[in-house]
Amino acid sequence: MTKNRFREEFARALATAFQQAYADKFESMGVKEVFDAEFIYDNLEKPKDARMGRFAFPVFRFSKLLGAKPPEIAQRVADTASESISSYDGLAAVTSAGGFINAATDFAAEAGETLCEILKSKSAYGGSDRGNGRTVLVEYSSPNIAKPFGIGHLRTTILGNSLRRIFKKLGFDVIGVNYLGDWGTQFGKMIVAWRRWGGGARVADSHVTDLLELYVRFHEEAEKEDSLNDEARLAFKKLEEGDPETVKLWEQFRETSQAEFDRVYKLLGIEFDLVTGEAFLNDKMEPVIKRLEKAGLTSISEGALIVDLDDPHLPPCLLKKADGATLYATRDLAGLIYRWEKYKFEQSLYVVGTAQSDHFKQAFKVIGLLEDKEQVPPDERMIGRVKHIEFGWVRFGDQMLSTRRGNIIFLEDVINKAVDLAREKIAEKNPDLADRDETALMIGVGAVLYSQFSVRRQKDVNFDWDEVLSFEGETGPYLQYTHARLCSLLRNYPAEVSAEFDQSLLDKEEERRVVELLADFPAAVEDAARSYDPNVIAAHLIRLAGAFNRVYQRKDDKGRIDKIISDDANLSAARIALVESVRTVIYEGLSLLGIQAPQEM
RNA sequence: GCCCCCGUAGCUCACCUGGAUAGAGCAUCGGUUUCCUAAACCGAGGGUAGCAGGUUCGAGUCCUGCCGGGGGUACCA
């Protein structure tokens, strides 16, 4: 990972100052804790109030170690560092405030270096080669076939899509997997429903909404007539045994659904590297069961084949039902093992809702037990590399969205509504725009996507039409609008953008905020990867866009807008370098979220 | 019953591995356009961070208990 030079310099200056100011302690301790620049680097903070400085180091924890009160330490070290500040060309001042040591960077230097780096590396800015080609699997979206694509699928789909992009940016070889729910008792239900109420139509002529109706009807009728459930189980059993007629029906359900999914993915710009499904694992389950049996982990309970997890809070993991049919967990275990053997991944992420948290705990526990029993060497174990990236529910009003009850908002409707609204806005604000339809699509989709990133992933998110369709404030369109405005500036600028500019001309407080946010973008990308949450990037972009808009509308002493492009060629050149840098980062950040940015809107 | 997640401004949410005066957006009220896109910007009001303890120099953040909401709890996925 590339380190921030200014941050590093401050850490070095502090470590040296600590060594000098507390020479006796340093002598006995050596290069550790506060005497170690690397330690300080990792423990630097950002001051709450930007006026306090660029970086901060709290010394409270070291009061005991150094035998002095925090403010004394801070002052003494800050004074010591100040004496030799001239040997650090990136630092302007080191001061103390209470128990904090604060640093101000040489702003012109930081502005110059940051902007030059962005102008030079362009879209590569914020990335790294940290992944070094190691493999990361991300499983996301994974809709069930024979069901429409509802708003409930939105989160996993775009979260996973974004994580795929983020890890790619960090140099990992990412495989985005769409693991279709194309197997299980639910297909028994569909088959029964189709035969009973399908009216003899051909599946190929049907639409997913027809299938949904049947699915809902099944659940309604099954409440009255319990034997339907047995019938469905039997139908699934036949499917699993390969009964030709049943298999044919299933294949048709699959095709009908796939067509709908592809349409939605195209609309949203979602990409996968591998589309597979539960059915793919059909012949891979038996070997896994054999392996578990051989390891002595299985037992029969109430007629079912289980793995007892020896955990009071986890029910046993079911491998086979009493009727011999397999279950979700069986297939996931087979999938875990298959993918581990095939890819030897660094990490494998399952972007699945929080409701399935226990399921993943069970599956991972089984893998752990198996690796223990088989005495797999530590560096050949997949346990610890597989992670459940869970996220909260999408809620609609007071209701949970449930496909079983037919209580569903179609994702396509949401997108269409947002795009229509974007089209209206364009007609109102920029009726002469050339690519109106294309732009409206980008904005509408941007609004829908962003609405999911504005909340930390663990939290439930309330689906609110007004919010999703809002284009003002902390929204996707706000970021897109800022980007379009930046593009407009670049169009209006009469010369070429150049990395040769007078950095000392970027001396306004508003500009400093922007530069700092630009410099911190790589850290935000890292942060998003570490927490598996693109929300970090979304929030960073909002701050950046806001900071830039304040530069853009900054007024001079006379109350007039201080324009980016003016008669002063040198000043304009410096400011336009800032503009191009912000544009690059917003564009790149949005692309990590899977959001496109039009040049005009 | 047990397990997991959540509880911050009227609403929706932030606060990075505990740190300085708890910040944004929406909504409300007021202001900014002879000026590069006003989908923007500035200002005002709005807070017992569910409650009660504990750990710590320091707690929205960690621990315990309680209250409230949601989810899960073997033959659905």
Side-chain angles (χ1 to χ4, degrees):
Chain A
M1 179 171 41
T2 49
K3 289 197 165 186
N4 181 297
R5 174 173 91 80
F6 296 89
R7 187 176 170 139
E8 203 167 28
E9 211 161 77
F10 180 46
R12 271 209 330 270
L14 277 190
T16 308
F18 269 110
Q19 289 172 12
Q20 289 167 356
Y22 295 91
D24 50 330
K25 296 277 180 191
F26 174 50
E27 195 120 328
S28 57
M29 278 187 62
V31 182
K32 267 199 268 185
E33 304 215 19
V34 289
F35 305 119
D36 178 14
E38 220 164 293
F39 173 85
I40 292 178
Y41 185 96
D42 291 335
N43 286 283
L44 285 183
E45 293 175 4
K46 197 174 190 139
K48 267 250 152 53
D49 186 337
R51 282 169 305 196
M52 303 296 256
R54 180 78 170 94
F55 307 111
F57 185 67
V59 302
F60 304 93
R61 303 157 53 188
F62 311 103
S63 179
K64 225 171 255 168
L65 178 78
L66 300 173
K69 288 187 171 151
E72 283 170 30
I73 299 171
Q75 197 182 348
R76 189 157 158 197
V77 174
D79 289 349
T80 309
S82 296
E83 281 166 27
S84 53
I85 192 144
S86 55
S87 52
Y88 299 96
D89 63 2
L91 295 183
V94 178
T95 54
S96 68
F100 291 91
I101 306 173
N102 296 321
T105 53
D106 176 340
F107 178 59
E110 188 171 15
E113 284 177 36
T114 304
L115 300 191
C116 282
E117 195 192 334
I118 298 170
L119 295 178
K120 195 182 72 209
S121 41
K122 297 192 171 75
S123 67
Y125 183 68
S128 74
D129 52 7
R130 180 166 75 81
N132 198 18
R134 286 171 298 174
T135 302
V136 171
L137 264 69
V138 188
E139 180 189 298
Y140 53 99
S141 199
S142 307
N144 290 322
I145 66 171
K147 289 190 199 171
F149 213 103
I151 191 79
H153 282 104
L154 190 57
R155 277 193 110 176
T156 166
T157 303
I158 66 181
L159 244 178
N161 187 57
S162 175
L163 289 175
R164 171 177 174 272
R165 288 164 176 265
I166 290 168
F167 279 95
K168 273 199 173 171
K169 186 151 184 94
L170 295 176
F172 289 92
D173 186 8
V174 188
I175 303 174
V177 183
N178 192 5
Y179 177 66
L180 299 173
D182 60 0
W183 208 246
T185 314
Q186 55 172 324
F187 293 98
K189 294 178 183 174
M190 275 310 303
I191 288 159
V192 169
W194 181 262
R195 285 182 176 150
R196 285 216 176 189
W197 312 298
R202 292 187 348 188
V203 182
D205 300 332
S206 66
H207 189 262
V208 213
T209 48
D210 303 329
L211 301 184
L212 175 69
E213 265 175 44
L214 289 174
Y215 190 72
V216 172
R217 179 156 177 195
F218 180 91
H219 282 277
E220 281 167 5
E221 306 257 355
E223 295 223 342
K224 294 175 262 172
E225 195 183 338
D226 194 45
S227 62
L228 275 175
N229 284 315
D230 296 331
E231 208 177 310
R233 270 192 283 274
L234 190 69
F236 175 58
K237 189 94 199 306
K238 287 190 92 169
L239 179 61
E240 206 160 37
E241 284 163 355
D243 172 61
E245 212 177 305
T246 313
V247 169
K248 198 174 166 200
L249 205 50
W250 170 80
E251 279 171 353
Q252 290 172 337
F253 288 148
R254 198 186 150 115
E255 276 164 34
T256 304
S257 303
Q258 188 75 55
E260 155 135 351
F261 299 155
D262 288 346
R263 208 172 54 239
V264 174
Y265 291 141
K266 199 173 167 209
L267 216 47
L268 290 174
I270 305 292
E271 293 169 340
F272 298 98
D273 305 289
L274 175 66
V275 179
T276 178
E278 298 184 282
F280 170 76
L281 297 166
N282 277 346
D283 59 349
K284 297 171 183 61
M285 287 183 279
E286 207 49 46
V288 168
I289 292 171
K290 286 265 150 27
R291 206 171 140 189
L292 289 165
E293 280 173 339
K294 200 176 160 207
L297 291 169
T298 59
S299 56
I300 304 284
S301 169
E302 295 171 34
L305 183 68
I306 65 158
V307 175
D308 187 350
L309 300 176
D310 191 29
D311 183 328
H313 301 309
L314 276 184
C317 182
L318 264 77
L319 300 175
K320 275 186 179 177
K321 301 194 271 191
D323 67 3
T326 58
L327 287 135
Y328 180 43
T330 327
R331 281 181 289 280
D332 254 7
L333 283 171
L336 278 160
I337 288 168
Y338 172 80
R339 288 182 196 173
W340 173 237
E341 286 174 351
K342 174 149 186 181
Y343 299 106
K344 292 291 171 195
F345 46 74
E346 173 77 10
Q347 283 187 61
S348 184
L349 312 177
Y350 291 82
V351 185
V352 181
T354 186
Q356 290 183 47
S357 157
D358 278 358
H359 162 74
F360 282 103
K361 277 189 200 144
Q362 287 177 301
F364 297 164
K365 187 85 190 275
V366 170
I367 296 292
L369 290 172
L370 183 63
E371 289 182 335
D372 282 347
K373 282 275 183 189
E374 294 182 343
Q375 299 182 356
V376 179
D379 55 338
E380 286 171 35
R381 291 188 182 211
M382 86 163 101
I383 204 73
R385 298 171 193 265
V386 285
K387 292 194 174 80
H388 176 206
I389 308 304
E390 57 183 357
F391 54 87
W393 288 92
V394 177
R395 217 173 271 286
F396 184 65
D398 296 333
Q399 305 170 327
M400 216 59 82
L401 297 169
S402 161
T403 315
R404 287 191 188 187
R405 291 181 213 118
N407 178 12
I408 185 166
I409 298 173
F410 298 102
L411 189 46
E412 219 173 345
D413 292 344
V414 175
I415 298 165
N416 289 336
K417 215 159 165 173
V419 173
D420 286 346
L421 193 70
R423 203 175 281 120
E424 279 174 35
K425 283 266 187 198
I426 290 170
E428 172 196 331
K429 291 171 188 286
N430 195 358
D432 301 328
L433 186 64
D435 312 308
R436 280 189 297 263
D437 287 340
E438 206 182 321
T439 307
L441 182 65
M442 285 191 209
I443 295 169
V445 169
V448 174
L449 294 192
Y450 192 91
S451 72
Q452 300 297 305
F453 291 126
S454 59
V455 181
R456 236 170 62 239
R457 79 175 149 75
Q458 290 87 346
K459 291 181 79 149
D460 290 353
V461 47
N462 207 7
F463 184 87
D464 184 309
W465 280 109
D466 289 342
E467 246 166 73
V468 174
L469 299 181
S470 162
F471 295 171
E472 284 160 28
E474 294 177 353
T475 64
Y478 169 75
L479 294 173
Q480 291 169 320
Y481 176 75
T482 305
H483 177 265
R485 185 184 248 180
L486 288 155
C487 289
S488 171
L489 283 167
L490 291 162
R491 279 194 301 273
N492 289 336
Y493 183 61
E496 289 292 305
V497 178
S498 162
E500 303 285 315
F501 58 90
D502 184 352
Q503 58 207 40
S504 70
L505 296 174
L506 296 171
D507 58 356
K508 302 293 183 291
E509 194 58 32
E510 289 85 350
E511 289 162 340
R512 175 182 287 245
R513 293 285 89 78
V514 172
V515 168
E516 288 176 1
L517 286 162
L518 290 172
D520 291 342
F521 177 68
V525 176
E526 277 291 345
D527 230 33
R530 193 177 43 77
S531 54
Y532 306 102
D533 196 349
N535 163 264
V536 178
I537 292 172
H540 193 84
L541 293 181
I542 288 288
R543 280 194 292 272
L544 176 61
F548 172 74
N549 282 325
R550 281 188 282 282
V551 168
Y552 183 83
Q553 287 182 206
R554 200 184 72 83
K555 288 179 176 162
D556 62 20
D557 310 335
K558 292 175 198 129
R560 305 179 67 122
I561 297 282
D562 185 13
K563 295 173 84 173
I564 303 279
I565 301 167
S566 63
D567 296 339
D568 185 337
N570 288 332
L571 185 63
S572 301
R575 289 179 174 179
I576 212 75
L578 185 73
V579 165
E580 170 59 12
S581 299
V582 175
R583 191 206 63 78
T584 302
V585 169
I586 289 184
Y587 184 87
E588 195 52 30
L590 280 174
S591 124
L592 290 176
L593 302 178
I595 298 174
Q596 291 185 284
Q599 305 215 335
E600 264 183 272
M601 63 187 266

